[in-house]
Amino acid sequence: MSKADCTLPESGWGQLLLNGSSPRVGSRWTDDGQSHEKRGLKRRARSATRPVPIPPVLVQLLREHIEEFGVAPDGRLFQAAEGGLILTKETAEVWKEARKLVLTPEQVASPFADVPYSARHTAVSGWLTAGVDKAEVARRAGHSIAVLLRFYAKVISDREEHSNALIERFLNGEDLDEGVRGGRQAQT
């Protein structure tokens, strides 16, 4: 991720413009002999981009990171000590130490948040639990709704009482935002 792909306002929501990945595949497996291969976004045209809104707390963290550490010569936000790409091994080591700092000993001994990818799962699960529209969650996560529901359906189970309350508020015309209220009025 480069600084040029980030919109980081002084306050409010920002945006990341995702435009590809560069997984480590080993220099023997790339055309240019580099250990990382530049790829487009999964299941999209090579030049496709995907804008993802980011909350103010993440905007602030990224702004502070850039202020403290700067960016790599090529504009990347995160770099190894000597400016190179951060290796998966290094990320895994930092994640392991971070878990020890923020989790209970029982959680550290469990598979809970055992890999960095768990943070993505937590984010998507949290959006669903918060009641964000499934189509919007799928868009932000870069999934189809079918894939979203196949992998995250367990998060939205046991929500019958909550769902009933939302439906009841809708039927009573209570606590509705303008978009929902306007849609309801258009149907009556």
Side-chain angles (χ1 to χ4, degrees), residues 128-131 154-164 166:
L128 288 169
T129 300
K154 59 186 169 277
V155 173
I156 56 177
S157 64
D158 299 329
R159 306 266 300 157
E160 185 174 346
E161 219 173 283
H162 175 73
S163 298
N164 288 350
L166 290 173

Side-chain angles (χ1 to χ4, degrees), residues 59-91:
V59 170
Q60 187 59 36
L61 286 170
L62 289 174
R63 290 177 65 83
E64 290 170 6
H65 173 82
I66 292 168
E67 186 176 318
E68 184 173 347
F69 300 105
V71 296
D74 63 359
R76 281 178 292 113
L77 295 182
F78 305 102
Q79 59 183 319
E82 306 212 2
L85 295 173
I86 298 174
L87 301 176
T88 305
K89 177 183 173 192
E90 293 166 332
T91 303

Side-chain angles (χ1 to χ4, degrees), residues 3 9 27 31 35 60 68 70 73 90-91 111 114 133 157 172-173 175 179 183:
K3 185 177 178 185
S27 58
D31 293 334
S35 60
Q60 187 59 36
E68 184 173 347
E90 293 166 332
T91 303
D114 58 346
D133 180 77
S157 64
N172 292 333
D175 298 324

Side-chain angles (χ1 to χ4, degrees), residues 2-172:
S2 80
K3 185 177 178 185
D5 297 325
C6 303
T7 302
L8 305 172
E10 290 287 334
S11 64
W13 283 72
Q15 180 176 284
L16 302 179
L17 186 62
L18 305 181
N19 56 28
S21 65
S22 58
R24 180 172 165 71
V25 293
S27 58
R28 291 179 31 197
W29 308 106
T30 61
D31 293 334
D32 61 5
Q34 299 295 313
S35 60
H36 288 80
E37 181 178 48
K38 292 189 186 306
R39 297 180 181 173
L41 296 172
K42 269 186 179 178
R43 297 177 194 87
R44 289 177 174 76
R46 187 159 178 80
S47 61
T49 60
R50 183 166 58 88
V52 178
I54 58 172
V57 65
L58 182 53
V59 170
Q60 187 59 36
L61 286 170
L62 289 174
R63 290 177 65 83
E64 290 170 6
H65 173 82
I66 292 168
E67 186 176 318
E68 184 173 347
F69 300 105
V71 296
D74 63 359
R76 281 178 292 113
L77 295 182
F78 305 102
Q79 59 183 319
E82 306 212 2
L85 295 173
I86 298 174
L87 301 176
T88 305
K89 177 183 173 192
E90 293 166 332
T91 303
E93 289 170 4
V94 169
W95 187 263
K96 184 178 178 180
E97 292 304 311
R99 288 181 79 242
K100 292 177 188 175
L101 293 173
V102 300
L103 301 178
T104 66
E106 294 78 20
Q107 289 171 323
V108 171
S110 77
F112 178 73
D114 58 346
V115 293
Y117 195 79
S118 299
R120 175 182 167 82
H121 190 87
T122 299
V124 173
S125 300
W127 299 338
L128 288 169
T129 300
V132 177
D133 180 77
K134 290 172 194 63
E136 178 62 10
V137 172
R139 184 190 72 78
R140 289 180 185 215
H143 291 311
S144 67
I145 294 174
V147 167
L148 178 80
L149 295 178
R150 183 171 56 227
F151 290 101
Y152 298 94
K154 59 186 169 277
V155 173
I156 56 177
S157 64
D158 299 329
R159 306 266 300 157
E160 185 174 346
E161 219 173 283
H162 175 73
S163 298
N164 288 350
L166 290 173
I167 293 167
E168 192 169 333
R169 283 198 312 243
F170 173 77
L171 293 173
N172 292 333

